Amino acid sequence: MQELFLNIVPNVAGKLPDFYKAIRDTLVMTFWSGSISFLLGLILGVIITVTRPKGILENKAVFQVLDKVINFFRSIPFIILLTGVMPISRLIMGTAIGVKGAIVPLIFGTVPFFARQIESALAEVDHGLVEAALSMGLSPLEIIFRVYLRESIAGIARSTTITAISLLGLTAMAGAVGAGGLGDFAIRYGHDRNQTDVTYITVLVLVLMVSVVQIIGNQVVKKSTH
């Protein structure tokens, strides 16, 4: 088995420590940037929903500002965003390169996308339920947690799955500017040194990661759909 592996992917076999480190770096970037993006995106998505016209906390100024800011960052290609927020990365993380340096731009690239996904998920909540909650005297905070979020669990799970898969792709793209991870591994060896087996194995690992995320997401959606 080992001999077969050496014959099929000789370049990967000769760089197993670097390959394992690349997988670990990708998982670290995805976990930390994904966790922070989930929290920030969920908060922004809720705020946009409740402050929009005819929302339970209608506030035109807040809605317009957040709406424009989210649209602004969503319109910036991620490869440009990577270099554009380097000063912020240095300020927050102390570096603009490597795994630590990639987390900040990954958050900037993911939060606006996820906030829009959350906004769409919350928009699917039956407005009649919100009106019923208001007539029962529930506070805005209670409506957010007991109506909007509770009734949108399946939609939020679906949105989280889509965002996590997108984030995996962004971590690979971050490798183009030395962020580490599988993207950096594929570029440094597969592209720059024309070692095609490195490229194919990297793609295969990313496909497997995406498949695992999709399976988990589908199970959560299935169990939370009612």
Side-chain angles (χ1 to χ4, degrees):
M1 186 68 181
Q2 185 176 1
E3 185 177 347
L4 179 63
F5 182 74
L6 288 171
N7 289 332
I8 296 176
V9 285
N11 295 303
V12 176
K15 302 177 183 66
L16 284 180
D18 289 341
F19 183 54
Y20 294 147
K21 183 179 183 300
I23 294 175
R24 185 172 66 250
D25 287 348
T26 293
L27 293 175
V28 168
M29 285 190 286
T30 303
F31 174 78
W32 284 110
S33 58
S35 299
I36 297 171
S37 296
F38 176 84
L39 181 61
L40 295 178
L42 185 64
I43 292 172
L44 287 176
V46 169
I47 293 175
I48 288 177
T49 299
V50 299
T51 59
R52 69 186 311 110
K54 298 183 180 180
I56 60 173
L57 290 173
E58 183 178 348
N59 189 312
K60 187 176 181 180
V62 172
F63 174 77
Q64 289 293 339
V65 170
L66 287 180
D67 188 61
K68 297 299 185 292
V69 169
I70 290 173
N71 285 342
F72 173 75
F73 281 102
R74 281 194 68 190
S75 66
I76 303 175
F78 183 67
I79 196 69
I80 296 175
L81 193 63
L82 275 170
T83 56
V85 300
M86 277 185 175
I88 301 176
S89 296
R90 291 193 188 97
L91 182 65
I92 297 175
M93 306 299 293
T95 179
I97 60 174
V99 174
K100 289 177 63 178
I103 290 176
V104 171
L106 285 170
I107 292 172
F108 270 90
T110 304
V111 168
F113 177 78
F114 187 57
R116 287 302 187 201
Q117 292 285 324
I118 293 298
E119 181 186 10
S120 297
L122 298 182
E124 295 177 1
V125 174
D126 186 354
H127 191 64
L129 292 175
V130 178
E131 290 181 342
L134 286 170
S135 65
M136 291 170 61
L138 268 65
S139 68
L141 196 61
E142 288 176 318
I143 294 174
I144 288 170
F145 282 98
R146 296 172 61 178
V147 180
Y148 276 117
L149 295 181
R150 175 182 280 184
E151 295 298 320
S152 301
I153 292 176
I156 292 172
R158 207 175 291 116
S159 299
T160 302
T161 302
I162 294 171
T163 305
I165 291 172
S166 175
L167 181 58
L168 276 170
L170 295 183
T171 62
M173 195 184 301
V177 293
L182 288 168
D184 176 65
F185 185 77
I187 292 170
R188 190 151 38 98
Y189 297 113
H191 179 270
D192 294 347
R193 303 185 187 182
N194 198 32
Q195 297 174 354
T196 54
D197 59 320
V198 172
T199 302
Y200 294 147
I201 288 296
T202 301
V203 170
L204 177 61
V205 171
L206 286 170
V207 168
L208 289 174
M209 287 182 177
V210 167
S211 299
V212 170
V213 171
Q214 188 67 63
I215 290 170
I216 294 173
N218 289 344
Q219 289 300 313
V220 174
V221 171
K222 184 178 179 181
K223 290 185 177 181
S224 57
T225 301
H226 57 275

